[in-house]
Amino acid sequence: MYGNNYPNDFDDNINNTQGIYSSYQNVPPVPPVPEKKKKEHKLLKKLAIAAGVGMCFGVFAGAGFYSVKSTAELLGIGQQEKSAVETQAPVQQQGDIESSNVVSTNNANAVTTVTTDVTGVVKQAMPSIVAITNMYTEEYNFFGQKMESPNEASGSGIIVGENDTELLVVTNQHVIAGADELSVQFIDGEQVKAKVKGYDSEKDLAVIAVALDEIKSSTREQIVIASLGDSDNLTVGEPAIAIGNALGYGQSVTTGVISALDRELGDSSNKLIQTDAAINPGNSGGALLNVSGEVIGINSNKIGGTVVEGMGYAIPISSAKPIIEDLMSKTTKGEPVAEKDKAYLGISGVNVTEEVSQVYGMPKGVYVGQVYEGTAAERAGLVKGDIITKFDGSSVSSMEELQSMMDYYAAGSEVELTIQQGSPNGYQEKKVTIILGSKAEADIG
């Protein structure tokens, strides 16, 4: 019995197994996954991983930034920079000048822009600046013939004082050189004639005078005497303001800084202030001011010229003051003396220029090449080889300048000459009092 069951069960199991197997054999095979889809699946998997990593990094970075910012605010770091960016710095004042600093942060590197308002300084100083017009005679040769024509030059001046009868103005000597007629224009446009009081050609300084009784009362109410500062304490980089009659168009203002100090240029005996404030023709004799409205220099376009831009020069006021004070004390020159009444020294002279002075070690001035007999020069003891350096207290740099000075002196006038005489120990200065003669007395040709 038992033996019959096992074979039957076994057979049945075999039959069942074969049925199942045959059923599997009837299922169609799974097609293989293409290579391209495999790559796409891998790429999507990588992108999902990268996105997850990025989100994690963002979370941690944000947390770190928040923690640093909180710590910085707790310690007060960065508050100063924030206030400088978000608020405008308060206006700073020095004298009558106003300036404001605005900080721009359009990029990571902050840029500071300084805007300077000089209206206060200009309002204070402008009434002390004048325009000067020099009417002179220009001589030239035309086909061998000597010709003359009237001409006009412009310059500037600074009102520096007054006495009982005159208003006194300082300017450059070259502004008034060779003048047949001088006039001064004040802040209100009023124009008045002026006369030469004295000048120093070596220092390129001159003082001219305007009669007070020729100035209208309304004009006198508007003009002021300039405040002279101290140029010995200037600092390179500090602001500078130039006012003058640029190109003869009327008063104008330029600004800049003190570029350099103690400049020595050309044949100027002055140690000069250099500035990048524009100093053009017509500015000569005008004022260079500091931020308090004080005159720190007397501008001179002649020194720098127009060869290089951004380099103007001024005579320091501290070195000019003693000369200005001396010139202010001179007797005002009247109208040039008539030709028949003019005074003469009785010499022929040669100019000792800067180049000659350096090469031969001679003082600058007029070298006496010959002394005519029977003249004032001979009576005063002048001899060949003397060098005239001053005439009546004003420095002399050329024979032409000496003759121009004497145009205001009549025969018989007593003046003082400063001369340099050669000696075994070099040139020695000597002062000589001389009574000027006339051309007729010696028949000088």
Side-chain angles (χ1 to χ4, degrees):
M1 177 177 68
Y2 290 102
N4 294 334
N5 288 337
Y6 283 106
N8 294 332
D9 291 339
F10 180 78
D11 293 336
D12 292 337
N13 289 336
I14 290 297
N15 293 332
N16 292 335
T17 301
Q18 289 178 345
I20 295 172
Y21 179 76
S22 62
S23 67
Y24 277 121
Q25 284 181 326
N26 294 329
V27 176
V30 179
V33 179
E35 188 65 25
K36 182 177 180 180
K37 289 189 176 291
K38 288 182 179 180
K39 290 182 179 180
E40 290 178 353
H41 293 162
K42 289 180 180 180
L43 178 59
L44 291 172
K45 184 177 180 181
K46 289 180 179 180
L47 289 175
I49 294 172
V53 172
M55 291 177 64
C56 293
F57 178 77
V59 171
F60 287 116
F65 177 77
Y66 178 78
S67 116
V68 171
K69 181 180 178 184
S70 300
T71 304
E73 289 178 351
L74 181 64
L75 296 176
I77 299 173
Q79 292 180 356
Q80 182 176 357
E81 290 82 355
K82 180 179 179 182
S83 62
V85 172
E86 295 182 355
T87 63
Q88 180 172 319
V91 173
Q92 299 178 353
Q93 297 186 352
Q94 181 176 0
D96 287 330
I97 193 170
E98 297 181 356
S99 63
S100 60
N101 296 336
V102 180
V103 182
S104 170
T105 55
N106 294 330
N107 51 50
N109 298 320
V111 178
T112 302
T113 303
V114 179
T115 303
T116 303
D117 180 1
V118 297
T119 54
V121 176
V122 173
K123 184 177 180 180
Q124 171 188 337
M126 188 74 86
S128 67
I129 311 300
V130 301
I132 297 175
T133 300
N134 178 349
M135 301 299 298
Y136 66 99
T137 301
E138 185 176 14
E139 296 182 354
Y140 59 94
N141 288 322
F142 185 74
F143 291 104
Q145 292 186 336
K146 185 178 180 180
M147 306 290 287
E148 294 183 348
S149 66
N151 216 329
E152 179 180 314
S154 300
S156 307
I158 309 166
I159 301 173
V160 290
E162 66 176 44
N163 54 33
D164 293 339
T165 60
E166 300 168 320
L167 186 71
L168 305 177
V169 176
V170 67
T171 185
N172 291 137
Q173 184 272 335
H174 74 264
V175 169
I176 57 115
D180 297 324
E181 182 181 297
L182 289 171
S183 62
V184 166
Q185 187 177 55
F186 296 105
I187 181 71
D188 62 348
E190 185 69 15
Q191 195 164 349
V192 183
K193 286 186 178 181
K195 295 180 180 179
V196 176
K197 198 154 185 76
Y199 56 85
D200 186 325
S201 58
E202 184 180 359
K203 298 295 183 181
D204 195 24
L205 293 170
V207 171
I208 59 177
V210 179
L212 290 175
D213 58 9
E214 294 185 12
I215 307 174
K216 292 181 179 180
S217 58
S218 58
T219 301
R220 292 191 64 179
E221 291 174 358
Q222 295 186 54
I223 61 178
V224 298
I225 295 174
S227 174
L228 304 185
D230 182 4
S231 58
D232 289 339
N233 293 318
L234 293 176
T235 303
V236 173
E238 71 173 271
I241 304 146
I243 303 180
N245 179 27
L247 302 178
Y249 295 152
Q251 304 293 18
S252 62
V253 179
T254 57
T255 61
V257 298
I258 301 299
S259 303
L261 299 169
D262 299 329
R263 289 294 198 212
E264 297 182 9
L265 297 175
D267 58 357
S268 174
S269 61
N270 296 301
K271 290 188 175 180
L272 305 165
I273 300 169
Q274 181 184 326
T275 178
D276 65 342
I279 297 176
N280 297 298
N283 276 115
S284 290
L288 188 68
L289 308 166
N290 61 17
V291 293
S292 298
E294 298 172 327
V295 178
I296 54 174
I298 300 172
N299 299 325
S300 180
N301 177 71
K302 181 182 179 182
I303 297 172
T306 57
V307 177
V308 179
E309 293 184 3
M311 295 175 67
Y313 297 92
I315 302 167
I317 197 64
S318 294
S319 62
K321 277 181 183 177
I323 301 169
I324 294 171
E325 291 170 357
D326 179 60
L327 296 176
M328 290 169 65
S329 67
K330 299 289 184 184
T331 302
T332 303
K333 310 293 187 295
E335 297 295 327
V337 177
E339 186 68 28
K340 63 183 181 64
D341 298 325
K342 280 185 181 179
Y344 283 83
L345 273 177
I347 66 166
S348 63
V350 179
N351 300 338
V352 181
T353 63
E354 178 69 24
E355 292 76 15
V356 173
S357 174
Q358 292 180 357
V359 172
Y360 296 101
M362 302 167 65
K364 290 191 296 182
V366 175
Y367 176 88
V368 177
Q370 183 178 355
V371 177
Y372 296 102
E373 293 182 6
T375 63
E378 185 185 49
R379 289 192 295 269
L382 269 65
V383 297
K384 180 180 179 179
D386 290 344
I387 298 175
I388 301 172
T389 56
K390 287 186 178 181
F391 178 88
D392 199 19
S394 295
S395 62
V396 176
S397 61
S398 68
M399 189 64 183
E400 295 76 18
E401 186 175 32
L402 178 59
Q403 291 171 335
S404 178
M405 289 179 176
M406 294 181 64
D407 286 345
Y408 295 93
Y409 293 81
S413 301
E414 182 177 286
V415 298
E416 182 182 76
L417 289 182
T418 300
I419 62 175
Q420 296 279 347
Q421 289 186 325
S423 73
N425 297 322
Y427 282 91
Q428 304 293 322
E429 184 176 282
K430 181 180 179 180
K431 292 185 178 181
V432 178
T433 300
I434 184 170
I435 299 176
L436 299 172
S438 66
K439 181 179 178 181
E441 70 181 2
D443 191 26
I444 302 173

